[in-house]
Amino acid sequence: MPLHRLRTYAAVAVIAFAALPARAQTPMDDPLDARDARRVDRMEKVVRELRDIVFKAQRTGAPVVVQPADTDARMGELSQRIGDLEQSLTRINGSLETTTHELELARRENEALKAQVKELGDRLAVAEKAATPPAPPEPPAEEAAVKRPPQEAFTAARQLMLAGDYDGAEQAFAAYVQDYPEGPRLAEARYWWGKTLSVRSAHAQAATAYIGAIRGWPQTAWAPDAVVELARSLVALKKPADACQALAELPKRYPKAPAAVSSRAAAARTQAKCAAA
C-alpha cells in the first residue's frame, strides 16, 4: 500500500477519533448502546494499527505489507494443507494402481513359468524313459532252473533273427546280455540286439546297445557296421553332432571297412549334414 495513502487514512482516522470525545460531551438523551460501543472499539483498534504502520514506514522507509487477519491466514494455511493432502492422495492412488498392475503381470508370468517348467519336466521324463534300455524279458519258468551254455544261447538267438523272428531274437539277445555279462560274445550280442531294436525304430535303446557293442573299438567284421548303425540311430534321435563324431572315427578305427559299409556311412554323413573332412 503506498505510503501517502496510508498517511491520509491515518489522518482521517485520527480526526474522526478526536471528534469522538467532543461529541461525547454533548448532552444526549441516551448513553451509547452496546453496539455503538463495539463500533468505537473497532475504530480505535484500526486507528492504532494505522498509526503503527505509518510510524514504521517513516522509521524504516521500507514498503509496508499489511498482513491478513490471523483467522484468514490460518484458513489459507489450512486450505493449502488440504490441497497438499489431495495431491498426495492422488499420487498414492496412482502408485497403488501401478503396483496392482505390476503384481497382476507378475502373477501371470509366474503361472506361465510354472506351465513351462511342467512341460519341460514332462519332456524330460519322456526322454529319460525312451533312453532307458528295456529290461530283458524273464526267462520261462522251465528254463530258469537250467541255463543254456553261452554259445548255444547265442546261436539260438541268431537263428531266430535269420528266420525273420525279430521279436523273438530281441528277447533272446537281451536274455544273453543279462545272463552272460562276461560271455565270450557279449559285444556281438549287443550289436545284434541293437539291430532288432532298430527294426522297430527303438532308436534310443538301439543306440545304447551299439555303444556297448563298440566299446573298446573291437577289431571284428561286424564292428564297422555297428558304428554306422550307431550314427543312424543318433540322426534319428536328432543328435547330428554326435552322429558326425562317430562317423569321423570310422575311417580311423576301421580303414579297411567293406565298401557297402563305407557307402552307408557316406549316406549317414549326408543325412547328418556333417562337415567335409
Side-chain angles (χ1 to χ4, degrees):
M1 181 179 294
L3 183 59
H4 68 276
R5 186 174 296 179
L6 286 174
R7 291 175 176 174
T8 302
Y9 289 163
V12 172
V14 170
I15 293 171
F17 183 70
L20 288 177
R23 184 175 179 180
Q25 294 176 2
T26 304
M28 298 180 63
D29 295 335
D30 297 318
L32 294 174
D33 55 16
R35 185 175 61 183
D36 293 335
R38 286 195 299 271
R39 292 176 64 182
V40 170
D41 291 338
R42 285 198 299 270
M43 291 181 67
E44 291 178 351
K45 182 178 180 181
V46 169
V47 170
R48 287 196 298 271
E49 290 177 353
L50 289 173
R51 291 177 61 187
D52 292 340
I53 291 172
V54 172
F55 292 154
K56 179 180 179 181
Q58 289 177 343
R59 289 195 306 270
T60 63
V64 179
V65 179
V66 180
Q67 299 293 337
D70 185 61
T71 303
D72 293 339
R74 292 187 178 182
M75 288 296 294
E77 182 181 355
L78 183 59
S79 297
Q80 181 64 34
R81 289 183 180 179
I82 292 174
D84 294 341
L85 288 174
E86 289 177 348
Q87 293 179 0
S88 298
L89 287 175
T90 301
R91 289 194 299 270
I92 292 172
N93 287 335
S95 299
L96 287 176
E97 290 177 358
T98 302
T99 303
T100 302
H101 180 65
E102 291 176 351
L103 288 175
E104 179 63 20
L105 291 178
R107 184 186 65 80
R108 294 179 182 177
E109 291 177 356
N110 190 30
E111 291 178 355
L113 182 60
K114 287 182 179 178
Q116 292 177 0
V117 170
K118 184 179 182 303
E119 182 181 357
L120 289 175
D122 294 341
R123 289 182 180 179
L124 286 174
V126 172
E128 289 175 356
K129 184 177 179 181
T132 303
E138 294 292 335
E142 60 272 12
E143 297 182 4
V146 180
K147 290 183 179 180
R148 297 178 180 180
Q151 183 58 40
E152 183 179 339
F154 183 89
T155 300
R158 188 79 176 90
Q159 288 175 348
L160 288 172
M161 187 171 184
L162 292 174
D165 185 3
Y166 291 101
D167 292 338
E170 178 185 342
Q171 295 178 6
F173 282 119
Y176 184 95
V177 171
Q178 180 183 19
D179 294 340
Y180 307 107
E182 302 296 333
R185 305 187 72 173
L186 177 64
E188 187 177 0
R190 289 183 181 276
Y191 163 67
W192 291 114
W193 185 24
K195 284 280 194 180
T196 61
L197 292 168
S198 295
V199 169
R200 63 182 183 87
S201 299
H203 300 296
Q205 295 93 323
T208 302
Y210 292 132
I211 290 172
I214 63 174
R215 185 175 288 116
W217 306 102
Q219 296 300 314
T220 62
W222 51 264
D225 185 70
V227 175
V228 176
E229 291 297 329
L230 171 60
R232 294 179 61 184
S233 297
L234 292 171
V235 170
L237 292 171
K238 301 187 183 305
K239 295 182 178 180
D242 294 337
C244 292
Q245 185 177 359
L247 291 170
E249 292 294 326
L250 182 64
K252 301 176 184 176
R253 304 290 179 176
Y254 308 106
K256 297 181 180 181
V261 173
S262 298
S263 177
R264 292 172 57 243
R269 287 192 187 92
T270 300
Q271 218 175 0
K273 298 180 180 179
C274 300

